[in-house]
Amino acid sequence: MLLNPKGNGIIALHFTSNCERSDRNSLFHRAMETANISSSGSCDFISKLPDPILHHILGLLNPKEAVQTCMLSKRWEHLWTFLPSLNFSFDDFGHDDYYHGYCFDRNDAGRFAKFVNNLLLRREHMDLDVFRLSCEHFDYSEIERDWIHYAFEHNTRVLHLSLSDSVPPYIYTCTSLEELYLNDNHAYNRRYFNRHEIDSSVHIVNLPNLRKLTIYRSALTSNDVKNLLSGCTILEFLRLDCCFLFDCVIAHKSLKHLAIVNCLFEETQLVISTPNLLSFLYDDGHSFRSPSNTTLNMPSLASSYLTIQDYSRMKCFERMTTSLSFLTNVEFLELHFIFEDYWLEELAVLPFELPIFSNLKNLTVSIFTFSCFQLVNCILKSSPNLEKLTMLQEGYVSQGEEGASTNESTNISSTIAIFPYKKLKIVVVKYWIYNQMIQQLENTLKDGAQEFENLKIHWSMY
């Protein structure tokens, strides 16, 4: 039974006609306008559409708006009870406070629970396509679990959960799921405040139809990752975002797309063995807690995006080049490397050797100091078939930093010697500030481009 936190039993259905925080151009208001036109004698084309199409349209609306369509006409009175997709967000039920801005209290929680309970009780008993539940500030975990169990019982294909409490374990045995998004704040906060107490939270996993999995703000042990992957036999997309990871080993035969973003590595090991992986995104973000021991086995990889961040420029380049040694088969490569010590003495020669990127055709790389061109040039020398080079200026360069790079600027023409590469067709430069580095780069590119009639150079500001 679905219960209201302020009382027991089934509550009479009541939906407010006040469309809070909705856009006047929303589909709901367009439908209302269509109904008004119909009442004045014009033809109501929308109402004549088949029920499955109207159900799909209603599924795109906010649930509060979808329910309010029952006032349009007899034709629409019960259509909302066949909603194929449900998207509940506690954020839509807050209130404006003079002192605290937009906030939540027990009355808001009661209105939210009342609305969700009644909608689920009145909805027709039919399978769900999509079920989204966002209630991170909602403090009634038992009611949350009732709603999630409803999705479980109605064979939902796509499930998105952002909860205030831990994820119910039966979610990992929902055999109908094809896409799963989990925002597990409970596990993340438990790890953050108890830095030496973490247990496996994922045990039995049976998701035979799951193809897409996103986990945001969670804490995963090596056993958690292993159990997840072993129970998702046809998984194709995996994204780990803002997670605590412990000795992370990702080994899966069917995985095609992998993203690891802003994760904190509590141990030193990151092992990825994915023979059919096509794209790989790795972003250090601002964690500064990255794996020192990385092993990548991705022989089918076609595109990769890497962001490496470190306080030391030398360590940043070293980690970048170590990662690149595993990416020799890529066709598309995007690199961002961030370090803090802008005033270090220029590195005359990068003490790292790169493999040959024989398939690389499209390279995007960040630039914000003259030293960045050393890595650019090393990659160019190792990319005989490169056709397009994009350079993105990142970070703000103050006047002091610009002046500190004066000694480096004299070497830029020899550092970025891109023009011996005959297959290069397009060079794109995007910048925030036209500083000394960009000016020197522009002069270098103009001088070199005179030798190649087919080379196109594009300049643009963000």
Side-chain angles (χ1 to χ4, degrees):
M1 177 65 69
L2 299 173
L3 301 177
N4 182 0
K6 306 184 80 177
N8 296 322
I10 301 176
I11 305 168
L13 182 64
H14 172 74
F15 296 103
T16 177
S17 60
N18 179 25
C19 189
E20 298 177 4
R21 300 202 309 164
S22 63
D23 188 350
R24 292 293 299 178
N25 294 322
S26 68
L27 186 57
F28 168 68
H29 291 289
R30 294 178 189 177
M32 293 291 285
E33 292 170 3
T34 302
N36 293 333
I37 293 175
S38 177
S39 63
S40 65
S42 300
C43 181
D44 181 2
F45 294 102
I46 295 182
S47 295
K48 293 184 177 181
L49 293 173
D51 283 0
I53 295 179
L54 294 179
H55 296 158
H56 177 74
I57 293 174
L58 290 177
L60 301 176
L61 293 176
N62 179 296
K64 294 170 69 176
E65 293 181 342
V67 171
Q68 290 175 43
T69 60
C70 68
M71 299 184 295
L72 292 176
S73 67
K74 284 288 186 181
R75 172 79 171 92
W76 292 80
E77 186 174 1
H78 300 291
L79 283 175
W80 67 268
T81 63
F82 294 89
L83 283 172
S85 302
L86 298 175
N87 184 1
F88 298 116
S89 176
F90 186 37
D91 291 344
D92 295 333
F93 287 78
H95 66 279
D96 290 313
D97 182 84
Y98 181 80
Y99 295 102
H100 303 97
Y102 194 75
C103 57
F104 309 91
D105 58 22
R106 289 182 60 86
N107 291 330
D108 299 324
R111 289 191 302 114
F112 179 60
K114 181 178 179 179
F115 177 84
V116 178
N117 284 343
N118 284 310
L119 191 150
L120 297 183
L121 288 168
R122 291 287 300 274
R123 182 180 178 273
E124 293 293 331
H125 187 74
M126 54 183 290
D127 288 348
L128 273 167
D129 287 334
V130 180
F131 186 84
R132 292 185 176 93
L133 179 62
S134 177
C135 44
E136 299 175 41
H137 307 289
F138 189 72
D139 295 328
Y140 300 94
S141 58
E142 292 184 4
I143 300 176
E144 285 180 4
R145 290 174 180 265
D146 286 336
W147 298 337
I148 297 170
H149 192 68
Y150 178 93
F152 181 84
E153 289 184 328
H154 288 77
N155 301 316
T156 184
R157 296 188 305 104
V158 178
L159 181 63
H160 286 219
L161 298 177
S162 298
L163 306 177
S164 60
D165 201 356
S166 58
V167 176
Y170 55 76
I171 288 301
Y172 300 110
T173 60
C174 184
T175 57
S176 63
L177 282 181
E178 299 175 13
E179 177 181 334
L180 177 61
Y181 172 94
L182 294 178
N183 181 351
D184 192 0
N185 275 293
H186 179 77
Y188 183 90
N189 293 333
R190 182 181 59 178
R191 175 67 189 106
Y192 185 84
F193 292 107
N194 301 282
R195 306 194 66 82
H196 300 289
E197 298 178 10
I198 186 70
D199 298 319
S200 293
S201 57
V202 181
H203 300 285
I204 300 175
V205 179
N206 181 27
L207 300 170
N209 295 306
L210 193 70
R211 295 184 179 275
K212 184 175 182 179
L213 174 62
T214 301
I215 300 180
Y216 178 73
R217 288 181 64 84
S218 185
L220 298 173
T221 66
S222 57
N223 286 333
D224 289 335
V225 176
K226 180 181 178 180
N227 291 339
L228 276 171
L229 295 178
S230 63
C232 305
T233 54
I234 63 171
L235 189 67
E236 296 181 354
F237 176 97
L238 174 63
R239 182 183 178 97
L240 303 177
D241 199 337
C242 294
C243 294
F244 284 105
L245 300 177
F246 302 80
D247 265 342
C248 185
V249 178
I250 299 175
H252 203 280
K253 292 183 178 180
S254 66
L255 198 64
K256 295 181 179 179
H257 309 281
L258 173 63
I260 301 176
V261 181
N262 298 333
C263 290
L264 301 175
F265 289 83
E266 293 296 312
E267 304 294 343
T268 59
Q269 180 174 320
L270 172 62
V271 177
I272 300 175
S273 179
T274 48
N276 295 304
L277 196 71
L278 299 177
S279 68
F280 176 53
L281 186 156
Y282 179 85
D283 190 344
D284 265 359
H286 300 282
S287 65
F288 295 110
R289 234 186 291 171
S290 302
S292 59
N293 183 14
T294 303
T295 303
L296 307 178
N297 177 27
M298 302 177 288
S300 301
L301 195 65
S303 65
S304 182
Y305 176 107
L306 297 178
T307 296
I308 305 295
Q309 178 162 303
D310 207 300
Y311 285 113
S312 166
R313 173 161 55 184
M314 179 69 76
K315 289 182 179 180
C316 186
F317 283 176
E318 182 178 8
R319 290 175 55 209
M320 177 68 76
T321 52
T322 300
S323 300
L324 288 175
S325 64
F326 297 104
L327 307 176
T328 55
N329 294 322
V330 296
E331 297 180 12
F332 305 92
L333 181 61
E334 183 165 347
L335 303 176
H336 298 261
F337 40 99
I338 304 169
F339 45 78
E340 299 292 331
D341 51 344
Y342 298 104
W343 301 278
L344 280 179
E345 185 176 330
E346 180 188 6
L347 299 171
V349 179
L350 272 177
F352 314 110
E353 294 185 2
L354 292 179
I356 300 299
F357 302 97
S358 56
N359 297 326
L360 186 61
K361 295 181 179 180
N362 193 326
L363 172 65
T364 298
V365 64
S366 64
I367 54 172
F368 57 91
T369 68
F370 288 91
S371 298
C372 297
F373 294 107
Q374 297 176 62
L375 183 56
V376 175
N377 201 41
C378 285
I379 299 175
L380 287 173
K381 290 178 180 179
S382 301
S383 308
N385 297 309
L386 189 68
E387 297 178 358
K388 181 179 179 180
L389 171 64
T390 302
M391 290 180 281
L392 309 175
Q393 183 191 43
E394 292 188 350
Y396 176 78
V397 182
S398 66
Q399 293 299 320
E401 291 164 358
E402 184 176 339
S405 299
T406 303
N407 293 332
E408 298 183 29
S409 64
T410 57
N411 297 323
I412 189 172
S413 59
S414 59
T415 300
I416 182 163
I418 67 172
F419 298 104
Y421 310 105
K422 303 289 185 179
K423 293 188 178 181
L424 192 63
K425 299 176 181 178
I426 300 175
V427 176
V428 179
V429 180
K430 296 183 179 181
Y431 60 94
W432 291 97
I433 303 171
Y434 190 82
N435 57 8
Q436 185 180 11
M437 181 184 70
I438 298 299
Q439 182 181 8
Q440 291 288 329
L441 178 60
E442 181 180 18
N443 294 334
T444 302
L445 293 178
K446 284 182 178 179
D447 294 340
Q450 296 176 359
E451 303 178 18
F452 301 93
E453 297 180 357
N454 296 327
L455 182 65
K456 297 180 180 180
I457 302 177
H458 302 281
W459 293 83
S460 64
M461 293 189 68
Y462 285 102

mmCIF file of all heavy atoms in Angstrom, residues 22 64 80 153 187 232 249 308 340 363 394:
data_model
loop_
_atom_site.group_PDB
_atom_site.id
_atom_site.type_symbol
_atom_site.label_atom_id
_atom_site.label_comp_id
_atom_site.label_asym_id
_atom_site.label_seq_id
_atom_site.Cartn_x
_atom_site.Cartn_y
_atom_site.Cartn_z
ATOM 1 N N SER A 22 5.984 26.375 -14.529
ATOM 2 C CA SER A 22 5.913 25.805 -15.878
ATOM 3 C C SER A 22 6.090 26.896 -16.914
ATOM 4 O O SER A 22 5.801 28.065 -16.671
ATOM 5 C CB SER A 22 4.591 25.068 -16.095
ATOM 6 O OG SER A 22 3.510 25.971 -15.991
ATOM 7 N N LYS A 64 2.422 16.607 -13.430
ATOM 8 C CA LYS A 64 1.378 17.542 -12.991
ATOM 9 C C LYS A 64 0.634 18.121 -14.187
ATOM 10 O O LYS A 64 -0.597 18.258 -14.172
ATOM 11 C CB LYS A 64 2.006 18.649 -12.164
ATOM 12 C CG LYS A 64 2.605 18.184 -10.855
ATOM 13 C CD LYS A 64 3.428 19.250 -10.170
ATOM 14 C CE LYS A 64 2.572 20.379 -9.658
ATOM 15 N NZ LYS A 64 3.373 21.368 -8.908
ATOM 16 N N TRP A 80 -4.594 10.373 -19.165
ATOM 17 C CA TRP A 80 -3.407 10.440 -18.328
ATOM 18 C C TRP A 80 -3.185 9.166 -17.515
ATOM 19 O O TRP A 80 -2.068 8.893 -17.065
ATOM 20 C CB TRP A 80 -3.476 11.646 -17.389
ATOM 21 C CG TRP A 80 -4.556 11.544 -16.341
ATOM 22 C CD1 TRP A 80 -5.835 11.998 -16.427
ATOM 23 C CD2 TRP A 80 -4.445 10.931 -15.057
ATOM 24 N NE1 TRP A 80 -6.535 11.714 -15.292
ATOM 25 C CE2 TRP A 80 -5.699 11.062 -14.428
ATOM 26 C CE3 TRP A 80 -3.414 10.289 -14.383
ATOM 27 C CZ2 TRP A 80 -5.946 10.567 -13.150
ATOM 28 C CZ3 TRP A 80 -3.657 9.790 -13.110
ATOM 29 C CH2 TRP A 80 -4.908 9.938 -12.507
ATOM 30 N N GLU A 153 7.558 -3.780 -10.296
ATOM 31 C CA GLU A 153 6.430 -4.663 -10.605
ATOM 32 C C GLU A 153 5.846 -4.402 -11.991
ATOM 33 O O GLU A 153 5.203 -5.276 -12.570
ATOM 34 C CB GLU A 153 5.327 -4.503 -9.551
ATOM 35 C CG GLU A 153 5.684 -5.088 -8.194
ATOM 36 C CD GLU A 153 4.517 -4.982 -7.229
ATOM 37 O OE1 GLU A 153 3.736 -4.007 -7.350
ATOM 38 O OE2 GLU A 153 4.392 -5.864 -6.367
ATOM 39 N N ALA A 187 25.477 6.046 -0.262
ATOM 40 C CA ALA A 187 26.766 5.346 -0.266
ATOM 41 C C ALA A 187 27.926 6.330 -0.367
ATOM 42 O O ALA A 187 28.971 6.156 0.268
ATOM 43 C CB ALA A 187 26.816 4.355 -1.430
ATOM 44 N N CYS A 232 25.552 -8.097 -15.870
ATOM 45 C CA CYS A 232 25.035 -7.343 -17.019
ATOM 46 C C CYS A 232 25.731 -7.873 -18.273
ATOM 47 O O CYS A 232 26.706 -7.274 -18.763
ATOM 48 C CB CYS A 232 25.288 -5.854 -16.858
ATOM 49 S SG CYS A 232 24.645 -5.148 -15.323
ATOM 50 N N VAL A 249 38.652 -2.630 -11.416
ATOM 51 C CA VAL A 249 38.944 -3.508 -12.540
ATOM 52 C C VAL A 249 37.687 -3.614 -13.394
ATOM 53 O O VAL A 249 36.668 -4.134 -12.945
ATOM 54 C CB VAL A 249 39.393 -4.913 -12.089
ATOM 55 C CG1 VAL A 249 39.643 -5.799 -13.305
ATOM 56 C CG2 VAL A 249 40.637 -4.820 -11.215
ATOM 57 N N ILE A 308 43.699 15.040 -18.156
ATOM 58 C CA ILE A 308 44.654 14.674 -17.102
ATOM 59 C C ILE A 308 45.023 15.946 -16.348
ATOM 60 O O ILE A 308 45.393 16.954 -16.943
ATOM 61 C CB ILE A 308 45.922 14.034 -17.687
ATOM 62 C CG1 ILE A 308 45.562 12.829 -18.563
ATOM 63 C CG2 ILE A 308 46.873 13.633 -16.582
ATOM 64 C CD1 ILE A 308 44.942 11.681 -17.823
ATOM 65 N N GLU A 340 49.390 23.397 -12.681
ATOM 66 C CA GLU A 340 49.351 24.662 -11.962
ATOM 67 C C GLU A 340 50.599 25.516 -12.113
ATOM 68 O O GLU A 340 50.539 26.725 -11.995
ATOM 69 C CB GLU A 340 49.118 24.402 -10.458
ATOM 70 C CG GLU A 340 47.797 23.707 -10.165
ATOM 71 C CD GLU A 340 46.614 24.593 -10.459
ATOM 72 O OE1 GLU A 340 46.758 25.826 -10.354
ATOM 73 O OE2 GLU A 340 45.545 24.065 -10.807
ATOM 74 N N LEU A 363 42.574 15.086 -34.319
ATOM 75 C CA LEU A 363 43.186 15.342 -33.007
ATOM 76 C C LEU A 363 42.727 16.692 -32.475
ATOM 77 O O LEU A 363 42.802 17.703 -33.176
ATOM 78 C CB LEU A 363 44.712 15.322 -33.110
ATOM 79 C CG LEU A 363 45.488 15.770 -31.859
ATOM 80 C CD1 LEU A 363 45.254 14.809 -30.695
ATOM 81 C CD2 LEU A 363 46.975 15.899 -32.169
ATOM 82 N N GLU A 394 42.752 27.006 -23.257
ATOM 83 C CA GLU A 394 42.027 26.784 -22.011
ATOM 84 C C GLU A 394 42.697 27.546 -20.883
ATOM 85 O O GLU A 394 43.912 27.680 -20.838
ATOM 86 C CB GLU A 394 41.982 25.290 -21.660
ATOM 87 C CG GLU A 394 41.146 24.483 -22.619
ATOM 88 C CD GLU A 394 40.949 23.066 -22.149
ATOM 89 O OE1 GLU A 394 41.619 22.668 -21.193
ATOM 90 O OE2 GLU A 394 40.114 22.374 -22.747
#
